[in-house]
């Protein structure tokens, strides 16, 4: 055995022509979207040497894939092998000995360099994954490739890298592949999810009986890792909701500012913008954490305050797309008075000095969030003696919105990003931009009634800054269950 093909690790040489999707299959299977690790290119000759791509857990190599260059001159190589076999006086078809003689004869000479590179691991005992794009016609060059690979005598699996629509030449390929390979499987490198990756790894058991225990152990590790990612994502989402629903923004004000409408409106606009900017920042950090957990380095999160302030709760379309429907929200325990407004409190020691309640409305970001025929009034209670960061004074505080659908909209938004992330195959190389502009909501509407009631009760406690810790195990179970459903959908 060579250093490329260790005896104690299941090793598979991956072979395929340029544009057959070999690198995309490896990227999706191994969850690598970094071009510095797996180079995806349409340029012939990009892969000029074998590259080791290990599957590791806790620093231990479990399975090894070897990315090989594609055949450059398969017809000429096939004839050269046949000639060498005939010159040796052997009868019948060429076998592993003829392949080994070919590699020894031409290796390092510059002739048939790619063929020697890809056949070397097979000579040394590696199994074989042959990647095919069934949208391309079956030509003589492919027949020559498959014939040479069959002569190695190694266990071989052909992988049809289907790309969405039914490939034109799939049946033709399938009819021929059975003559050359021990196993034929399909795999869409641009759409494959976790279950497809797991099935592909299980297929390796059928072409490498000698390392069954290690391959089975790898699959168990993979499943455990996937569960851990989902649980860590649930924790991140729950933390975001707790912080977001309990978040309030405050500003020191003078009493005369509150008595002058234009100053009051300006303060409201400033605080509202600060509030939604911070909520957007919290979600962005949460989604970036999930991107990291699922090893997406090409993802970019574009969550801004407008993603929240552009939601119109007085339009039926919004209720259908985001958060819960009105009837679901009522059943969950909570719609208590229409669209509601943002809570703005001025507190200090309970002394009103006869000012009572000042009613006003803020424009700007609040207007964008609470769109409709009329802005809701904002109740302002003027008090004195509030302890602020820089001593005592009069404070204007804002948040969270009173509308009970706001929590569900936040949850719907972050779940939508999660769905995009887990459904994204690493073989895709275009940039993944996560924003709310084109994302569809409605995920929370599928949560079952009892689970909704648990979440609603917890949301209410978060909004009051008195988080019900006794509910946290149930909340974690509900969110984890929703994420598991999104993994399968």
């Amino acid at each position: 055995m060579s250093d490329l093909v260790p005896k104690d690790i299941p090793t598979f040489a991956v072979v395929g022509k340029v544009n057959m999707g070999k690198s995309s299959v490896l990227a999706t299977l191994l969850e690598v979207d970094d071009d510095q690790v797996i180079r995806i290119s349409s340029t012939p000759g990009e892969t000029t040497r074998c590259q080791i791509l290990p599957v590791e857990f806790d620093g231990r190599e479990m399975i090894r894939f070897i990315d090989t260059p594609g055949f450059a001159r398969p017809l000429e190589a096939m004839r050269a092998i046949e000639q060498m076999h005939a010159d040796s006086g052997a009868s019948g078809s060429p076998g592993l000995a003829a392949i080994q003689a070919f590699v020894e004869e031409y290796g390092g000479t510059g002739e048939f360099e790619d063929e020697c590179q890809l056949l070397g691991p097979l000579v040394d005992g590696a199994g074989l994954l042959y990647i095919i794009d069934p949208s391309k016609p079956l030509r003589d060059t492919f027949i020559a490739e498959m014939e040479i690979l069959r002569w190695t005598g190694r266990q071989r699996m052909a992988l049809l890298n289907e790309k969405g629509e039914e490939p034109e030449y799939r049946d033709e390929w399938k009819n021929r592949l059975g003559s050359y390979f021990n196993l034929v499987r399909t795999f869409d490198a641009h759409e494959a999810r976790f279950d497809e990756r797991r099935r592909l790894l299980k297929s390796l058991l059928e072409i490498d009986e000698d390392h069954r225990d290690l391959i089975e152990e790898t699959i168990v590790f993979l499943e455990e890792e996937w569960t851990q990612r989902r649980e860590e994502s649930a924790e991140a989402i729950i933390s975001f909701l707790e912080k977001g629903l309990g978040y309030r923004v405050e500003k020191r004000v003078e009493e005369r500012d509150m008595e002058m409408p234009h100053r009051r409106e300006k303060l409201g606009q400033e605080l509202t913008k600060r509030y939604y900017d911070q909520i957007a920042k919290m979600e962005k950090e949460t989604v970036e954490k999930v991107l990291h957990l699922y090893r997406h380095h090409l993802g970019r999160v574009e969550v801004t305050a407008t993603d929240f302030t552009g939601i119109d709760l007085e339009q039926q379309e919004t209720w259908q797309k985001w958060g819960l429907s009105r009837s679901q929200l009522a059943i969950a325990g909570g719609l208590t008075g229409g669209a509601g407004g943002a809570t703005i409190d001025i507190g200090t020691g309970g002394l009103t000095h006869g000012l009572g309640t000042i009613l006003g409305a803020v424009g700007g970001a609040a207007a964008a969030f609470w769109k409709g025929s009329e802005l809701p009034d904002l109740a302002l209670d003027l008090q004195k003696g509030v302890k602020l960061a820089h001593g005592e004074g009069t404070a204007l505080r804002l948040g969270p919105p009173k509308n009970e659908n706001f929590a569900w909209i936040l949850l719907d938004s972050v779940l939508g990003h999660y769905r995009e992330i887990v459904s994204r195959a690493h073989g895709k190389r275009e940039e993944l931009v996560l924003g709310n502009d084109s994302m569809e909501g409605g995920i929370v509407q599928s949560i079952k009634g009892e689970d909704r009631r648990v979440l609603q009760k917890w949301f209410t406690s978060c909004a009051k800054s008195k988080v019900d810790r006794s509910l946290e195990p149930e909340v974690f179970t509900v969110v984890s269950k929703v994420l598991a459903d999104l993994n399968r959908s």
Side-chain angles (χ1 to χ4, degrees):
M1 291 286 177
S2 68
D3 292 338
L4 275 180
V5 187
K7 185 177 181 180
D8 57 343
I9 297 173
T11 302
F12 302 91
V14 184
V15 178
K17 275 189 181 297
V18 172
N19 287 331
M20 285 302 210
K22 173 171 61 75
S23 296
S24 296
V25 168
L26 283 168
T28 295
L29 182 61
L30 304 180
E31 292 188 312
V32 177
D33 64 359
D34 188 343
D35 278 339
Q36 298 304 311
V37 179
I38 296 178
R39 190 166 187 81
I40 294 181
S41 173
S42 59
T43 304
E46 281 288 354
T47 305
T48 58
R49 60 181 178 81
C50 292
Q51 180 185 9
I52 296 174
L53 299 169
V55 176
E56 295 180 336
F57 288 96
D58 297 327
R60 176 187 169 201
E61 186 174 3
M62 308 291 291
I63 299 176
R64 174 176 295 191
F65 293 94
I66 301 176
D67 188 10
T68 72
F71 282 93
R73 300 165 58 205
L75 286 168
E76 293 86 345
M78 182 180 70
R79 295 188 187 107
I81 294 169
E82 288 177 322
Q83 186 62 53
M84 293 177 69
H85 178 67
D87 292 344
S88 71
S91 60
S93 299
L96 182 60
I99 300 295
Q100 184 171 2
F102 172 83
V103 172
E104 292 173 353
E105 175 75 19
Y106 290 102
T109 66
E111 189 175 2
F112 296 122
E113 181 178 358
D114 289 349
E115 282 77 10
C116 290
Q117 284 280 333
L118 71 88
L119 291 172
L122 298 174
V123 169
D124 291 334
L128 169 67
L129 269 66
Y130 183 58
I131 311 299
I132 299 135
D133 180 354
S135 67
K136 300 184 183 302
L138 181 62
R139 303 185 187 281
D140 290 344
T141 53
F142 293 121
I143 299 296
E145 290 179 7
M146 293 189 290
E147 192 69 66
I148 293 171
L149 295 174
R150 183 174 67 86
W151 289 341
T152 67
R154 300 304 183 193
Q155 293 295 302
R156 305 174 300 284
M157 177 165 66
L159 205 59
L160 292 162
N161 182 28
E162 298 187 354
K163 301 174 183 177
E165 70 283 352
E166 185 172 333
E168 182 178 357
Y169 301 101
R170 181 175 59 185
D171 291 341
E172 183 180 359
W173 274 103
K174 282 190 171 182
N175 290 336
R176 294 300 297 267
L177 289 172
S179 303
Y180 294 97
F181 294 90
N182 308 97
L183 200 62
V184 178
R185 292 289 183 266
T186 60
F187 187 81
D188 186 342
H190 284 179
E191 299 296 334
R193 303 279 292 271
F194 171 73
D195 285 343
E196 285 82 5
R197 291 174 52 227
R198 179 173 51 189
R199 278 196 290 270
L200 182 53
L201 288 176
K202 285 185 176 180
S203 296
L204 299 180
L205 293 169
E206 300 184 50
I207 61 171
D208 191 342
E209 287 285 339
D210 294 339
H211 298 98
R212 170 171 289 274
D213 290 346
L214 200 52
I215 296 174
E216 288 179 340
E217 189 178 0
T218 302
I219 294 169
V220 170
F221 280 147
L222 184 71
E223 292 169 341
E224 290 175 348
E225 182 187 60
W226 199 257
T227 299
Q228 182 179 341
R229 290 183 195 177
R230 185 171 65 245
E231 291 177 349
E232 290 185 26
S233 297
E235 290 175 352
I237 291 169
I238 291 168
S239 177
F240 159 63
L241 292 170
E242 180 180 333
K243 291 177 183 176
L245 295 176
Y247 177 68
R248 287 157 178 79
V249 62
E250 70 177 20
K251 181 179 177 62
R252 179 191 294 271
V253 297
E254 300 295 333
E255 291 183 24
R256 65 176 180 273
D257 293 332
M258 303 311 300
E259 296 172 354
M260 302 177 67
H262 72 282
R263 291 190 181 181
R264 191 169 64 235
E265 181 174 342
K266 184 177 180 181
L267 285 169
Q269 290 176 351
E270 177 186 337
L271 283 182
T272 304
K273 183 178 186 306
R274 282 173 53 191
Y275 176 82
Y276 287 117
D277 281 346
Q278 185 61 28
I279 294 293
K281 181 182 177 183
M282 291 179 189
E283 181 176 8
K284 184 174 186 290
E285 291 171 349
T286 302
V287 176
E288 285 175 341
K289 183 173 183 179
V290 176
L291 273 170
H292 176 74
L293 285 171
Y294 286 91
R295 299 177 184 169
H296 284 288
H297 302 93
L298 297 180
R300 178 163 52 88
V301 185
E302 290 187 350
V303 179
T304 64
T306 57
D307 290 331
F308 298 109
T309 59
I311 295 171
D312 185 350
L313 292 180
E314 292 196 8
Q315 294 295 320
Q316 184 65 29
E317 179 184 355
T318 297
W319 289 85
Q320 293 172 348
K321 178 179 179 180
W322 295 98
L324 297 182
S325 67
R326 294 180 187 271
S327 60
Q328 287 176 324
L329 196 58
I331 294 172
L335 191 57
T336 57
T343 302
I344 296 184
D345 297 319
I346 299 176
T348 79
L351 299 176
T352 64
H353 289 275
L355 292 176
T357 298
I358 302 171
L359 299 179
V362 298
F369 186 84
W370 303 109
K371 280 193 265 181
S373 58
E374 185 178 345
L375 284 172
D377 288 334
L378 303 174
L380 307 177
D381 294 324
L382 188 63
Q383 300 176 355
K384 292 184 177 180
V386 170
K387 291 183 179 180
L388 300 168
H390 303 288
E392 292 187 352
T394 301
L396 184 64
R397 290 195 181 103
L398 182 146
K402 290 196 302 191
N403 188 292
E404 294 182 23
N405 204 28
F406 184 68
W408 294 99
I409 287 173
L410 290 186
L411 177 57
D412 220 358
S413 178
V414 76
L415 289 177
H417 292 312
Y418 179 87
R419 177 169 58 187
E420 286 187 273
I421 291 169
V422 297
S423 63
R424 168 81 172 198
H426 288 73
K428 288 184 176 180
R429 281 304 192 260
E430 62 270 20
E431 185 179 40
L432 171 62
V433 179
L434 294 166
N436 285 351
D437 290 345
S438 61
M439 189 176 66
E440 291 295 325
I443 297 173
V444 297
Q445 294 190 16
S446 64
I447 298 176
K448 297 187 182 301
E450 184 56 40
D451 291 339
R452 286 201 301 267
R453 284 187 284 273
V454 169
L455 291 177
Q456 181 63 62
K457 186 175 180 181
W458 184 74
F459 290 159
T460 302
S461 74
C462 291
K464 293 178 179 178
S465 296
K466 297 179 181 178
V467 183
D468 189 343
R469 301 297 178 192
S470 67
L471 284 173
E472 287 184 345
E474 292 180 79
V475 171
F476 177 80
T477 298
V478 171
V479 175
S480 296
K481 184 165 50 177
V482 173
L483 299 188
D485 289 340
L486 293 176
N487 284 333
R488 291 188 291 267
S489 63

